[in-house]
Amino acid sequence: MSDDLFDSTQDVVGVLTDQIEAHFDMDIEQLKAAVAVQPTTSPDATEVVRWHGLLVGAQKVLDRAEDDLLAALETQPSEVDDPTMGLAHRVNAAVTARDGRALVVRWLLDPEAPGKQDPAAQRLGRPNRAGPAVQTSAALRPATATATASPARTGKAAQR
């Protein structure tokens, strides 16, 4: 996320955690506990807690990647070798993942976010907890359907 979106004294996770706590008027640990006990009571809280967990995980991956890159850079001469460049790419990928998850959390917290007022977007944005959106089993054939041709069949095949 761009630096101007967040106070430089706090990290992305800290800023968003503060926003979550202010939005739900409770500590993040209390919110997690409440969602764990009754996940269907507040679908919004459940989604925020889920994405906050993904954000925290992505931040941990980023922290490890940055530590690995710094350790490799400390041992490098003036030119950076391919393995160290691989670590730099890993850091970039981790930043992208973390920032994407941060954007989702911010979107979830913003009631005026684009797409939230559109009824179709609201239906698509709310997962159907009753079952999968895509059929996962074979379609059942009606009991009246048969594999043999009907005597009333018409067309070229029936004329032969």
Side-chain angles (χ1 to χ4, degrees):
M1 312 229 46
S2 64
D3 293 336
D4 62 334
L5 295 177
F6 296 102
D7 181 357
S8 62
T9 62
Q10 288 188 310
D11 62 304
V12 173
V13 175
V15 170
L16 288 172
T17 299
D18 291 346
Q19 290 177 4
I20 291 168
E21 291 174 348
H23 183 83
F24 290 99
D25 197 30
M26 67 174 61
D27 179 77
I28 190 70
E29 295 305 319
Q30 292 172 326
L31 184 61
K32 287 178 185 178
V35 165
V37 171
Q38 295 180 330
T40 58
T41 300
S42 174
D44 291 338
T46 301
E47 283 299 302
V48 167
V49 166
R50 181 171 86 82
W51 279 98
H52 181 266
L54 293 171
L55 173 63
V56 169
Q59 183 64 50
K60 287 178 184 175
V61 169
L62 174 57
D63 291 343
R64 280 192 304 271
E66 288 175 333
D67 290 345
D68 293 347
L69 177 59
L70 288 174
L73 288 172
E74 288 175 355
T75 64
Q76 289 292 302
S78 60
E79 288 188 32
V80 176
D81 61 9
D82 287 341
T84 304
M85 281 305 294
L87 292 173
H89 291 303
R90 196 173 108 207
V91 168
N92 284 337
V95 167
T96 300
R98 190 269 323 264
D99 288 354
R101 290 170 182 178
L103 285 172
V104 172
V105 171
R106 289 185 63 201
W107 185 86
L108 289 169
L109 293 174
D110 183 2
E112 302 298 320
K116 283 194 169 179
Q117 303 306 319
D118 179 19
Q122 289 177 351
R123 283 193 309 274
L124 291 173
R126 300 280 185 244
N128 181 0
R129 301 293 183 203
V134 177
Q135 185 172 344
T136 57
S137 60
L140 298 176
R141 291 189 166 177
T144 59
T146 61
T148 60
S150 168
R153 188 172 167 191
T154 60
K156 290 186 178 185
Q159 294 173 356
R160 291 185 188 158

